[in-house]
Amino acid sequence: AQSVTQPDIHITVSEGASLELRCNYSYGATPYLFWYVQSPGQGLQLLLKYFSGDTLVQGIKGFEAEFKRSQSSFNLRKPSVHWSDAAEYFCAVARGPNDYKLSFGAGTTVTVRA
Amino acid sequence: EAGVAQSPRYKIIEKRQSVAFWCNPISGHATLYWYQQILGQGPKLLIQFQNNGVVDDSQLPKDRFSAERLKGVDSTLKIQPAKLEDSAVYLCASSLRRGTSVNLYQETQYFGPGTRLLVL
């Protein structure tokens, strides 16, 4: 079965600084990869997804992620963090094709300091 | 476009009581998912419906959890009797997917705000 590891439980970053969240997956083939964000008391919102093609994926809110097959990674980045980016971020994987059940990592909590 | 709706948003019950959660997916979405998110963990899939049929319920604790999706639209998830370890947020998600479609766009899951359950 596929699995997802998010090594960082909590990250604190200054407003305006860059942010990188790590995600590693364990799966033999190329999975479908997702990043979701969850603000307090809210459901999950899709930031971006990777199915195939260009390994650098652009998402909403200025986020991007890069798929690196050699490292089994799908790290999320943002060049300049805003206070509103404080939230919990989840990486998820689906086996595909025809199997789109998501397996989620444990999440990374991002705190933004002024 | 309205999102996925869930109710109630919060529920507190005592152990051994029963509880039910309701989900209304985005209009036209054929596939519906229920996830359980325990504090400090990522969501875990409980059950997947396509229209009104169950696709996968392998992670659903069937001795106490049940779910249905009559008429292929709304869905309810029930716990009876509840245990302390059922305290979690229950998330509902939906996607367009119908049949064995290979349109990857249709596979994006949209989540509702969740129901936060506390079992005392």
Side-chain angles (χ1 to χ4, degrees), chain A residues 44 46, chain B residues 1-6 22-33 51 69 72-75 92-98 105-106 108-113:
Chain A
L44 283 80
L46 180 68
Chain B
E1 179 182 79
V4 176
Q6 290 188 249
W22 174 81
C23 172
N24 181 236
I26 294 173
S27 177
H29 280 198
T31 301
L32 185 147
Y33 306 82
N51 298 309
R69 191 184 184 198
V73 182
D74 294 5
S75 176
C92 179
S94 69
S95 69
L96 272 171
R97 186 178 188 210
R98 296 180 179 85
Y105 168 75
Q106 296 188 349
T108 298
Q109 294 183 32
Y110 298 88
F111 285 79

PDB file of all heavy atoms in Angstrom, chain A residues 44 46, chain B residues 1-6 22-33 51 69 72-75 92-98 105-106 108-113:
ATOM      1  N   LEU A  44     -10.709  20.715   4.092  1.00  0.00           N
ATOM      2  CA  LEU A  44      -9.479  20.757   3.313  1.00  0.00           C
ATOM      3  C   LEU A  44      -9.721  21.427   1.958  1.00  0.00           C
ATOM      4  O   LEU A  44     -10.709  21.147   1.292  1.00  0.00           O
ATOM      5  CB  LEU A  44      -8.940  19.342   3.080  1.00  0.00           C
ATOM      6  CG  LEU A  44      -8.236  18.687   4.254  1.00  0.00           C
ATOM      7  CD1 LEU A  44      -9.239  18.119   5.226  1.00  0.00           C
ATOM      8  CD2 LEU A  44      -7.298  17.583   3.762  1.00  0.00           C
ATOM      9  N   LEU A  46      -7.943  22.126  -1.797  1.00  0.00           N
ATOM     10  CA  LEU A  46      -6.893  21.665  -2.684  1.00  0.00           C
ATOM     11  C   LEU A  46      -6.015  22.828  -3.123  1.00  0.00           C
ATOM     12  O   LEU A  46      -6.504  23.834  -3.633  1.00  0.00           O
ATOM     13  CB  LEU A  46      -7.503  20.997  -3.914  1.00  0.00           C
ATOM     14  CG  LEU A  46      -6.520  20.459  -4.947  1.00  0.00           C
ATOM     15  CD1 LEU A  46      -5.740  19.273  -4.380  1.00  0.00           C
ATOM     16  CD2 LEU A  46      -7.248  20.052  -6.221  1.00  0.00           C
TER      17      LEU A  46
ATOM     18  N   GLU B   1     -20.975  28.267  -7.217  1.00  0.00           N
ATOM     19  CA  GLU B   1     -21.290  26.843  -6.996  1.00  0.00           C
ATOM     20  C   GLU B   1     -21.173  26.532  -5.507  1.00  0.00           C
ATOM     21  O   GLU B   1     -20.147  26.836  -4.888  1.00  0.00           O
ATOM     22  CB  GLU B   1     -20.305  25.970  -7.780  1.00  0.00           C
ATOM     23  CG  GLU B   1     -20.528  24.492  -7.612  1.00  0.00           C
ATOM     24  CD  GLU B   1     -19.496  23.669  -8.366  1.00  0.00           C
ATOM     25  OE1 GLU B   1     -18.384  23.515  -7.875  1.00  0.00           O
ATOM     26  OE2 GLU B   1     -19.835  23.187  -9.449  1.00  0.00           O
ATOM     27  N   ALA B   2     -22.212  25.932  -4.943  1.00  0.00           N
ATOM     28  CA  ALA B   2     -22.189  25.597  -3.529  1.00  0.00           C
ATOM     29  C   ALA B   2     -21.214  24.449  -3.311  1.00  0.00           C
ATOM     30  O   ALA B   2     -21.058  23.568  -4.151  1.00  0.00           O
ATOM     31  CB  ALA B   2     -23.584  25.196  -3.072  1.00  0.00           C
ATOM     32  N   GLY B   3     -20.566  24.471  -2.129  1.00  0.00           N
ATOM     33  CA  GLY B   3     -19.621  23.426  -1.796  1.00  0.00           C
ATOM     34  C   GLY B   3     -20.298  22.252  -1.136  1.00  0.00           C
ATOM     35  O   GLY B   3     -21.520  22.137  -1.095  1.00  0.00           O
ATOM     36  N   VAL B   4     -19.473  21.390  -0.566  1.00  0.00           N
ATOM     37  CA  VAL B   4     -19.986  20.230   0.161  1.00  0.00           C
ATOM     38  C   VAL B   4     -20.517  20.712   1.515  1.00  0.00           C
ATOM     39  O   VAL B   4     -19.803  21.413   2.240  1.00  0.00           O
ATOM     40  CB  VAL B   4     -18.872  19.185   0.373  1.00  0.00           C
ATOM     41  CG1 VAL B   4     -19.388  18.025   1.202  1.00  0.00           C
ATOM     42  CG2 VAL B   4     -18.326  18.716  -0.975  1.00  0.00           C
ATOM     43  N   ALA B   5     -21.729  20.327   1.826  1.00  0.00           N
ATOM     44  CA  ALA B   5     -22.346  20.744   3.079  1.00  0.00           C
ATOM     45  C   ALA B   5     -22.367  19.583   4.060  1.00  0.00           C
ATOM     46  O   ALA B   5     -22.611  18.434   3.668  1.00  0.00           O
ATOM     47  CB  ALA B   5     -23.771  21.237   2.835  1.00  0.00           C
ATOM     48  N   GLN B   6     -22.106  19.890   5.320  1.00  0.00           N
ATOM     49  CA  GLN B   6     -22.150  18.869   6.361  1.00  0.00           C
ATOM     50  C   GLN B   6     -22.872  19.430   7.580  1.00  0.00           C
ATOM     51  O   GLN B   6     -22.772  20.620   7.888  1.00  0.00           O
ATOM     52  CB  GLN B   6     -20.743  18.454   6.794  1.00  0.00           C
ATOM     53  CG  GLN B   6     -19.995  17.658   5.748  1.00  0.00           C
ATOM     54  CD  GLN B   6     -18.679  17.101   6.283  1.00  0.00           C
ATOM     55  OE1 GLN B   6     -17.597  17.516   5.881  1.00  0.00           O
ATOM     56  NE2 GLN B   6     -18.784  16.151   7.207  1.00  0.00           N
ATOM     57  N   TRP B  22     -24.566  14.069   8.526  1.00  0.00           N
ATOM     58  CA  TRP B  22     -25.183  14.209   7.215  1.00  0.00           C
ATOM     59  C   TRP B  22     -24.251  14.954   6.267  1.00  0.00           C
ATOM     60  O   TRP B  22     -23.527  15.874   6.682  1.00  0.00           O
ATOM     61  CB  TRP B  22     -26.511  14.962   7.362  1.00  0.00           C
ATOM     62  CG  TRP B  22     -27.176  15.307   6.078  1.00  0.00           C
ATOM     63  CD1 TRP B  22     -27.946  14.517   5.299  1.00  0.00           C
ATOM     64  CD2 TRP B  22     -27.138  16.579   5.417  1.00  0.00           C
ATOM     65  NE1 TRP B  22     -28.403  15.193   4.198  1.00  0.00           N
ATOM     66  CE2 TRP B  22     -27.929  16.461   4.244  1.00  0.00           C
ATOM     67  CE3 TRP B  22     -26.517  17.809   5.704  1.00  0.00           C
ATOM     68  CZ2 TRP B  22     -28.117  17.527   3.360  1.00  0.00           C
ATOM     69  CZ3 TRP B  22     -26.700  18.862   4.831  1.00  0.00           C
ATOM     70  CH2 TRP B  22     -27.487  18.715   3.667  1.00  0.00           C
ATOM     71  N   CYS B  23     -24.266  14.552   5.001  1.00  0.00           N
ATOM     72  CA  CYS B  23     -23.438  15.197   3.992  1.00  0.00           C
ATOM     73  C   CYS B  23     -24.233  15.400   2.717  1.00  0.00           C
ATOM     74  O   CYS B  23     -24.912  14.473   2.244  1.00  0.00           O
ATOM     75  CB  CYS B  23     -22.208  14.350   3.690  1.00  0.00           C
ATOM     76  SG  CYS B  23     -21.214  14.955   2.287  1.00  0.00           S
ATOM     77  N   ASN B  24     -24.146  16.587   2.164  1.00  0.00           N
ATOM     78  CA  ASN B  24     -24.740  16.884   0.862  1.00  0.00           C
ATOM     79  C   ASN B  24     -23.624  17.281  -0.079  1.00  0.00           C
ATOM     80  O   ASN B  24     -23.003  18.340   0.099  1.00  0.00           O
ATOM     81  CB  ASN B  24     -25.768  18.009   0.983  1.00  0.00           C
ATOM     82  CG  ASN B  24     -26.428  18.332  -0.352  1.00  0.00           C
ATOM     83  OD1 ASN B  24     -26.408  19.452  -0.821  1.00  0.00           O
ATOM     84  ND2 ASN B  24     -27.002  17.321  -0.964  1.00  0.00           N
ATOM     85  N   PRO B  25     -23.314  16.457  -1.077  1.00  0.00           N
ATOM     86  CA  PRO B  25     -22.168  16.746  -1.948  1.00  0.00           C
ATOM     87  C   PRO B  25     -22.467  17.870  -2.930  1.00  0.00           C
ATOM     88  O   PRO B  25     -23.587  18.348  -3.029  1.00  0.00           O
ATOM     89  CB  PRO B  25     -21.972  15.422  -2.691  1.00  0.00           C
ATOM     90  CG  PRO B  25     -23.347  14.843  -2.771  1.00  0.00           C
ATOM     91  CD  PRO B  25     -24.014  15.234  -1.476  1.00  0.00           C
ATOM     92  N   ILE B  26     -21.455  18.274  -3.662  1.00  0.00           N
ATOM     93  CA  ILE B  26     -21.636  19.259  -4.715  1.00  0.00           C
ATOM     94  C   ILE B  26     -22.574  18.672  -5.772  1.00  0.00           C
ATOM     95  O   ILE B  26     -22.460  17.482  -6.120  1.00  0.00           O
ATOM     96  CB  ILE B  26     -20.277  19.647  -5.330  1.00  0.00           C
ATOM     97  CG1 ILE B  26     -19.442  20.387  -4.277  1.00  0.00           C
ATOM     98  CG2 ILE B  26     -20.452  20.496  -6.579  1.00  0.00           C
ATOM     99  CD1 ILE B  26     -18.010  20.674  -4.707  1.00  0.00           C
ATOM    100  N   SER B  27     -23.467  19.487  -6.270  1.00  0.00           N
ATOM    101  CA  SER B  27     -24.452  19.029  -7.226  1.00  0.00           C
ATOM    102  C   SER B  27     -23.786  18.391  -8.445  1.00  0.00           C
ATOM    103  O   SER B  27     -22.850  18.949  -9.026  1.00  0.00           O
ATOM    104  CB  SER B  27     -25.304  20.218  -7.684  1.00  0.00           C
ATOM    105  OG  SER B  27     -26.233  19.819  -8.673  1.00  0.00           O
ATOM    106  N   GLY B  28     -24.256  17.196  -8.784  1.00  0.00           N
ATOM    107  CA  GLY B  28     -23.713  16.500  -9.953  1.00  0.00           C
ATOM    108  C   GLY B  28     -22.536  15.598  -9.659  1.00  0.00           C
ATOM    109  O   GLY B  28     -22.087  14.860 -10.543  1.00  0.00           O
ATOM    110  N   HIS B  29     -22.018  15.646  -8.441  1.00  0.00           N
ATOM    111  CA  HIS B  29     -20.888  14.787  -8.092  1.00  0.00           C
ATOM    112  C   HIS B  29     -21.376  13.373  -7.797  1.00  0.00           C
ATOM    113  O   HIS B  29     -22.188  13.153  -6.907  1.00  0.00           O
ATOM    114  CB  HIS B  29     -20.135  15.361  -6.891  1.00  0.00           C
ATOM    115  CG  HIS B  29     -19.204  16.470  -7.253  1.00  0.00           C
ATOM    116  ND1 HIS B  29     -18.188  16.892  -6.429  1.00  0.00           N
ATOM    117  CD2 HIS B  29     -19.113  17.220  -8.366  1.00  0.00           C
ATOM    118  CE1 HIS B  29     -17.523  17.856  -7.019  1.00  0.00           C
ATOM    119  NE2 HIS B  29     -18.067  18.084  -8.200  1.00  0.00           N
ATOM    120  N   ALA B  30     -20.816  12.418  -8.533  1.00  0.00           N
ATOM    121  CA  ALA B  30     -21.273  11.038  -8.411  1.00  0.00           C
ATOM    122  C   ALA B  30     -20.595  10.291  -7.270  1.00  0.00           C
ATOM    123  O   ALA B  30     -21.150   9.350  -6.722  1.00  0.00           O
ATOM    124  CB  ALA B  30     -21.024  10.291  -9.726  1.00  0.00           C
ATOM    125  N   THR B  31     -19.381  10.700  -6.940  1.00  0.00           N
ATOM    126  CA  THR B  31     -18.607   9.951  -5.944  1.00  0.00           C
ATOM    127  C   THR B  31     -18.552  10.726  -4.634  1.00  0.00           C
ATOM    128  O   THR B  31     -18.339  11.939  -4.622  1.00  0.00           O
ATOM    129  CB  THR B  31     -17.187   9.680  -6.459  1.00  0.00           C
ATOM    130  OG1 THR B  31     -17.278   8.945  -7.681  1.00  0.00           O
ATOM    131  CG2 THR B  31     -16.400   8.841  -5.464  1.00  0.00           C
ATOM    132  N   LEU B  32     -18.738   9.998  -3.546  1.00  0.00           N
ATOM    133  CA  LEU B  32     -18.755  10.612  -2.219  1.00  0.00           C
ATOM    134  C   LEU B  32     -17.885   9.804  -1.284  1.00  0.00           C
ATOM    135  O   LEU B  32     -17.890   8.556  -1.331  1.00  0.00           O
ATOM    136  CB  LEU B  32     -20.200  10.680  -1.690  1.00  0.00           C
ATOM    137  CG  LEU B  32     -20.451  11.392  -0.365  1.00  0.00           C
ATOM    138  CD1 LEU B  32     -21.823  12.068  -0.388  1.00  0.00           C
ATOM    139  CD2 LEU B  32     -20.332  10.469   0.816  1.00  0.00           C
ATOM    140  N   TYR B  33     -17.132  10.485  -0.448  1.00  0.00           N
ATOM    141  CA  TYR B  33     -16.202   9.851   0.488  1.00  0.00           C
ATOM    142  C   TYR B  33     -16.496  10.346   1.901  1.00  0.00           C
ATOM    143  O   TYR B  33     -16.816  11.518   2.109  1.00  0.00           O
ATOM    144  CB  TYR B  33     -14.758  10.232   0.162  1.00  0.00           C
ATOM    145  CG  TYR B  33     -14.298   9.987  -1.253  1.00  0.00           C
ATOM    146  CD1 TYR B  33     -14.585  10.884  -2.280  1.00  0.00           C
ATOM    147  CD2 TYR B  33     -13.519   8.872  -1.567  1.00  0.00           C
ATOM    148  CE1 TYR B  33     -14.142  10.684  -3.566  1.00  0.00           C
ATOM    149  CE2 TYR B  33     -13.062   8.659  -2.864  1.00  0.00           C
ATOM    150  CZ  TYR B  33     -13.372   9.570  -3.851  1.00  0.00           C
ATOM    151  OH  TYR B  33     -12.918   9.364  -5.134  1.00  0.00           O
ATOM    152  N   ASN B  51     -22.350   6.934  -6.922  1.00  0.00           N
ATOM    153  CA  ASN B  51     -23.804   7.014  -6.967  1.00  0.00           C
ATOM    154  C   ASN B  51     -24.320   6.448  -5.637  1.00  0.00           C
ATOM    155  O   ASN B  51     -23.896   6.901  -4.587  1.00  0.00           O
ATOM    156  CB  ASN B  51     -24.338   6.316  -8.201  1.00  0.00           C
ATOM    157  CG  ASN B  51     -23.820   6.991  -9.462  1.00  0.00           C
ATOM    158  OD1 ASN B  51     -23.924   8.210  -9.605  1.00  0.00           O
ATOM    159  ND2 ASN B  51     -23.232   6.220 -10.360  1.00  0.00           N
ATOM    160  N   ARG B  69     -26.158   6.003   1.196  1.00  0.00           N
ATOM    161  CA  ARG B  69     -26.301   7.109   0.256  1.00  0.00           C
ATOM    162  C   ARG B  69     -27.493   6.781  -0.640  1.00  0.00           C
ATOM    163  O   ARG B  69     -27.337   6.344  -1.775  1.00  0.00           O
ATOM    164  CB  ARG B  69     -25.041   7.298  -0.581  1.00  0.00           C
ATOM    165  CG  ARG B  69     -25.067   8.600  -1.380  1.00  0.00           C
ATOM    166  CD  ARG B  69     -23.869   8.747  -2.270  1.00  0.00           C
ATOM    167  NE  ARG B  69     -23.892  10.043  -2.940  1.00  0.00           N
ATOM    168  CZ  ARG B  69     -23.193  10.330  -4.017  1.00  0.00           C
ATOM    169  NH1 ARG B  69     -22.391   9.419  -4.555  1.00  0.00           N
ATOM    170  NH2 ARG B  69     -23.265  11.523  -4.569  1.00  0.00           N
ATOM    171  N   GLY B  72     -28.339   8.288  -4.351  1.00  0.00           N
ATOM    172  CA  GLY B  72     -27.101   8.738  -4.945  1.00  0.00           C
ATOM    173  C   GLY B  72     -26.770  10.191  -4.745  1.00  0.00           C
ATOM    174  O   GLY B  72     -25.958  10.752  -5.498  1.00  0.00           O
ATOM    175  N   VAL B  73     -27.361  10.826  -3.740  1.00  0.00           N
ATOM    176  CA  VAL B  73     -27.057  12.235  -3.491  1.00  0.00           C
ATOM    177  C   VAL B  73     -26.534  12.387  -2.063  1.00  0.00           C
ATOM    178  O   VAL B  73     -25.348  12.179  -1.818  1.00  0.00           O
ATOM    179  CB  VAL B  73     -28.287  13.126  -3.744  1.00  0.00           C
ATOM    180  CG1 VAL B  73     -27.942  14.597  -3.523  1.00  0.00           C
ATOM    181  CG2 VAL B  73     -28.797  12.932  -5.168  1.00  0.00           C
ATOM    182  N   ASP B  74     -27.445  12.710  -1.112  1.00  0.00           N
ATOM    183  CA  ASP B  74     -27.037  12.887   0.276  1.00  0.00           C
ATOM    184  C   ASP B  74     -26.547  11.573   0.869  1.00  0.00           C
ATOM    185  O   ASP B  74     -26.903  10.483   0.418  1.00  0.00           O
ATOM    186  CB  ASP B  74     -28.219  13.381   1.107  1.00  0.00           C
ATOM    187  CG  ASP B  74     -28.665  14.768   0.708  1.00  0.00           C
ATOM    188  OD1 ASP B  74     -28.105  15.303  -0.277  1.00  0.00           O
ATOM    189  OD2 ASP B  74     -29.564  15.309   1.354  1.00  0.00           O
ATOM    190  N   SER B  75     -25.759  11.725   1.924  1.00  0.00           N
ATOM    191  CA  SER B  75     -25.273  10.539   2.616  1.00  0.00           C
ATOM    192  C   SER B  75     -25.319  10.773   4.113  1.00  0.00           C
ATOM    193  O   SER B  75     -25.213  11.906   4.592  1.00  0.00           O
ATOM    194  CB  SER B  75     -23.838  10.235   2.189  1.00  0.00           C
ATOM    195  OG  SER B  75     -23.310   9.138   2.914  1.00  0.00           O
ATOM    196  N   CYS B  92     -16.514  14.874   4.886  1.00  0.00           N
ATOM    197  CA  CYS B  92     -17.152  14.352   3.688  1.00  0.00           C
ATOM    198  C   CYS B  92     -16.520  15.039   2.485  1.00  0.00           C
ATOM    199  O   CYS B  92     -16.207  16.243   2.532  1.00  0.00           O
ATOM    200  CB  CYS B  92     -18.650  14.638   3.725  1.00  0.00           C
ATOM    201  SG  CYS B  92     -19.552  14.063   2.274  1.00  0.00           S
ATOM    202  N   ALA B  93     -16.299  14.293   1.431  1.00  0.00           N
ATOM    203  CA  ALA B  93     -15.745  14.853   0.205  1.00  0.00           C
ATOM    204  C   ALA B  93     -16.504  14.290  -0.987  1.00  0.00           C
ATOM    205  O   ALA B  93     -17.094  13.211  -0.901  1.00  0.00           O
ATOM    206  CB  ALA B  93     -14.259  14.528   0.083  1.00  0.00           C
ATOM    207  N   SER B  94     -16.496  15.033  -2.085  1.00  0.00           N
ATOM    208  CA  SER B  94     -17.142  14.520  -3.290  1.00  0.00           C
ATOM    209  C   SER B  94     -16.301  14.839  -4.516  1.00  0.00           C
ATOM    210  O   SER B  94     -15.470  15.750  -4.501  1.00  0.00           O
ATOM    211  CB  SER B  94     -18.549  15.109  -3.442  1.00  0.00           C
ATOM    212  OG  SER B  94     -18.520  16.498  -3.750  1.00  0.00           O
ATOM    213  N   SER B  95     -16.504  14.040  -5.553  1.00  0.00           N
ATOM    214  CA  SER B  95     -15.842  14.287  -6.828  1.00  0.00           C
ATOM    215  C   SER B  95     -16.793  13.932  -7.952  1.00  0.00           C
ATOM    216  O   SER B  95     -17.756  13.197  -7.751  1.00  0.00           O
ATOM    217  CB  SER B  95     -14.541  13.486  -6.953  1.00  0.00           C
ATOM    218  OG  SER B  95     -14.811  12.100  -7.068  1.00  0.00           O
ATOM    219  N   LEU B  96     -16.488  14.442  -9.142  1.00  0.00           N
ATOM    220  CA  LEU B  96     -17.384  14.261 -10.275  1.00  0.00           C
ATOM    221  C   LEU B  96     -17.463  12.813 -10.742  1.00  0.00           C
ATOM    222  O   LEU B  96     -18.472  12.384 -11.261  1.00  0.00           O
ATOM    223  CB  LEU B  96     -16.908  15.107 -11.460  1.00  0.00           C
ATOM    224  CG  LEU B  96     -17.410  16.544 -11.548  1.00  0.00           C
ATOM    225  CD1 LEU B  96     -16.666  17.275 -12.662  1.00  0.00           C
ATOM    226  CD2 LEU B  96     -18.902  16.574 -11.805  1.00  0.00           C
ATOM    227  N   ARG B  97     -16.413  12.066 -10.523  1.00  0.00           N
ATOM    228  CA  ARG B  97     -16.168  10.799 -11.199  1.00  0.00           C
ATOM    229  C   ARG B  97     -17.394   9.917 -11.355  1.00  0.00           C
ATOM    230  O   ARG B  97     -18.104   9.632 -10.401  1.00  0.00           O
ATOM    231  CB  ARG B  97     -15.108  10.002 -10.462  1.00  0.00           C
ATOM    232  CG  ARG B  97     -14.720   8.745 -11.202  1.00  0.00           C
ATOM    233  CD  ARG B  97     -13.641   7.995 -10.498  1.00  0.00           C
ATOM    234  NE  ARG B  97     -13.195   6.917 -11.378  1.00  0.00           N
ATOM    235  CZ  ARG B  97     -12.716   5.776 -10.935  1.00  0.00           C
ATOM    236  NH1 ARG B  97     -12.600   5.573  -9.652  1.00  0.00           N
ATOM    237  NH2 ARG B  97     -12.336   4.844 -11.764  1.00  0.00           N
ATOM    238  N   ARG B  98     -17.583   9.430 -12.575  1.00  0.00           N
ATOM    239  CA  ARG B  98     -18.638   8.473 -12.872  1.00  0.00           C
ATOM    240  C   ARG B  98     -18.017   7.278 -13.561  1.00  0.00           C
ATOM    241  O   ARG B  98     -17.186   7.437 -14.442  1.00  0.00           O
ATOM    242  CB  ARG B  98     -19.681   9.092 -13.810  1.00  0.00           C
ATOM    243  CG  ARG B  98     -20.429  10.260 -13.227  1.00  0.00           C
ATOM    244  CD  ARG B  98     -21.446  10.826 -14.216  1.00  0.00           C
ATOM    245  NE  ARG B  98     -22.176  11.945 -13.641  1.00  0.00           N
ATOM    246  CZ  ARG B  98     -21.768  13.193 -13.646  1.00  0.00           C
ATOM    247  NH1 ARG B  98     -20.614  13.484 -14.209  1.00  0.00           N
ATOM    248  NH2 ARG B  98     -22.480  14.158 -13.101  1.00  0.00           N
ATOM    249  N   TYR B 105      -9.400  15.325 -14.322  1.00  0.00           N
ATOM    250  CA  TYR B 105      -9.994  16.494 -13.672  1.00  0.00           C
ATOM    251  C   TYR B 105     -11.126  16.084 -12.763  1.00  0.00           C
ATOM    252  O   TYR B 105     -11.360  16.678 -11.719  1.00  0.00           O
ATOM    253  CB  TYR B 105     -10.497  17.467 -14.743  1.00  0.00           C
ATOM    254  CG  TYR B 105     -11.370  18.560 -14.185  1.00  0.00           C
ATOM    255  CD1 TYR B 105     -10.818  19.615 -13.483  1.00  0.00           C
ATOM    256  CD2 TYR B 105     -12.750  18.511 -14.342  1.00  0.00           C
ATOM    257  CE1 TYR B 105     -11.623  20.615 -12.959  1.00  0.00           C
ATOM    258  CE2 TYR B 105     -13.554  19.505 -13.823  1.00  0.00           C
ATOM    259  CZ  TYR B 105     -12.980  20.559 -13.139  1.00  0.00           C
ATOM    260  OH  TYR B 105     -13.789  21.528 -12.617  1.00  0.00           O
ATOM    261  N   GLN B 106     -11.859  15.047 -13.192  1.00  0.00           N
ATOM    262  CA  GLN B 106     -13.019  14.622 -12.417  1.00  0.00           C
ATOM    263  C   GLN B 106     -12.638  13.981 -11.104  1.00  0.00           C
ATOM    264  O   GLN B 106     -13.482  13.738 -10.262  1.00  0.00           O
ATOM    265  CB  GLN B 106     -13.863  13.654 -13.250  1.00  0.00           C
ATOM    266  CG  GLN B 106     -14.461  14.291 -14.482  1.00  0.00           C
ATOM    267  CD  GLN B 106     -15.445  13.354 -15.162  1.00  0.00           C
ATOM    268  OE1 GLN B 106     -15.519  12.183 -14.841  1.00  0.00           O
ATOM    269  NE2 GLN B 106     -16.182  13.875 -16.118  1.00  0.00           N
ATOM    270  N   THR B 108     -10.668  15.168  -8.722  1.00  0.00           N
ATOM    271  CA  THR B 108     -10.361  16.063  -7.613  1.00  0.00           C
ATOM    272  C   THR B 108     -11.453  15.971  -6.565  1.00  0.00           C
ATOM    273  O   THR B 108     -12.630  16.092  -6.873  1.00  0.00           O
ATOM    274  CB  THR B 108     -10.239  17.511  -8.123  1.00  0.00           C
ATOM    275  OG1 THR B 108      -9.169  17.580  -9.061  1.00  0.00           O
ATOM    276  CG2 THR B 108      -9.970  18.457  -6.966  1.00  0.00           C
ATOM    277  N   GLN B 109     -11.048  15.751  -5.337  1.00  0.00           N
ATOM    278  CA  GLN B 109     -11.989  15.662  -4.235  1.00  0.00           C
ATOM    279  C   GLN B 109     -12.141  17.022  -3.565  1.00  0.00           C
ATOM    280  O   GLN B 109     -11.155  17.667  -3.244  1.00  0.00           O
ATOM    281  CB  GLN B 109     -11.520  14.633  -3.208  1.00  0.00           C
ATOM    282  CG  GLN B 109     -11.519  13.211  -3.741  1.00  0.00           C
ATOM    283  CD  GLN B 109     -11.119  12.191  -2.705  1.00  0.00           C
ATOM    284  OE1 GLN B 109     -11.381  12.352  -1.511  1.00  0.00           O
ATOM    285  NE2 GLN B 109     -10.481  11.125  -3.149  1.00  0.00           N
ATOM    286  N   TYR B 110     -13.388  17.409  -3.353  1.00  0.00           N
ATOM    287  CA  TYR B 110     -13.710  18.653  -2.673  1.00  0.00           C
ATOM    288  C   TYR B 110     -14.298  18.312  -1.312  1.00  0.00           C
ATOM    289  O   TYR B 110     -15.223  17.497  -1.225  1.00  0.00           O
ATOM    290  CB  TYR B 110     -14.695  19.477  -3.510  1.00  0.00           C
ATOM    291  CG  TYR B 110     -14.129  19.879  -4.847  1.00  0.00           C
ATOM    292  CD1 TYR B 110     -14.250  19.052  -5.956  1.00  0.00           C
ATOM    293  CD2 TYR B 110     -13.442  21.079  -4.986  1.00  0.00           C
ATOM    294  CE1 TYR B 110     -13.716  19.405  -7.184  1.00  0.00           C
ATOM    295  CE2 TYR B 110     -12.899  21.446  -6.215  1.00  0.00           C
ATOM    296  CZ  TYR B 110     -13.035  20.601  -7.300  1.00  0.00           C
ATOM    297  OH  TYR B 110     -12.484  20.947  -8.511  1.00  0.00           O
ATOM    298  N   PHE B 111     -13.757  18.950  -0.268  1.00  0.00           N
ATOM    299  CA  PHE B 111     -14.107  18.595   1.096  1.00  0.00           C
ATOM    300  C   PHE B 111     -15.095  19.578   1.710  1.00  0.00           C
ATOM    301  O   PHE B 111     -15.038  20.784   1.451  1.00  0.00           O
ATOM    302  CB  PHE B 111     -12.850  18.550   1.970  1.00  0.00           C
ATOM    303  CG  PHE B 111     -12.009  17.333   1.742  1.00  0.00           C
ATOM    304  CD1 PHE B 111     -11.163  17.241   0.649  1.00  0.00           C
ATOM    305  CD2 PHE B 111     -12.069  16.264   2.618  1.00  0.00           C
ATOM    306  CE1 PHE B 111     -10.394  16.117   0.426  1.00  0.00           C
ATOM    307  CE2 PHE B 111     -11.294  15.134   2.408  1.00  0.00           C
ATOM    308  CZ  PHE B 111     -10.463  15.055   1.316  1.00  0.00           C
ATOM    309  N   GLY B 112     -15.944  19.037   2.566  1.00  0.00           N
ATOM    310  CA  GLY B 112     -16.808  19.861   3.388  1.00  0.00           C
ATOM    311  C   GLY B 112     -16.075  20.322   4.635  1.00  0.00           C
ATOM    312  O   GLY B 112     -14.924  19.942   4.865  1.00  0.00           O
ATOM    313  N   PRO B 113     -16.742  21.146   5.478  1.00  0.00           N
ATOM    314  CA  PRO B 113     -16.083  21.700   6.664  1.00  0.00           C
ATOM    315  C   PRO B 113     -15.887  20.688   7.788  1.00  0.00           C
ATOM    316  O   PRO B 113     -15.124  20.948   8.714  1.00  0.00           O
ATOM    317  CB  PRO B 113     -17.050  22.802   7.103  1.00  0.00           C
ATOM    318  CG  PRO B 113     -18.380  22.352   6.606  1.00  0.00           C
ATOM    319  CD  PRO B 113     -18.102  21.646   5.312  1.00  0.00           C
TER     320      PRO B 113
END
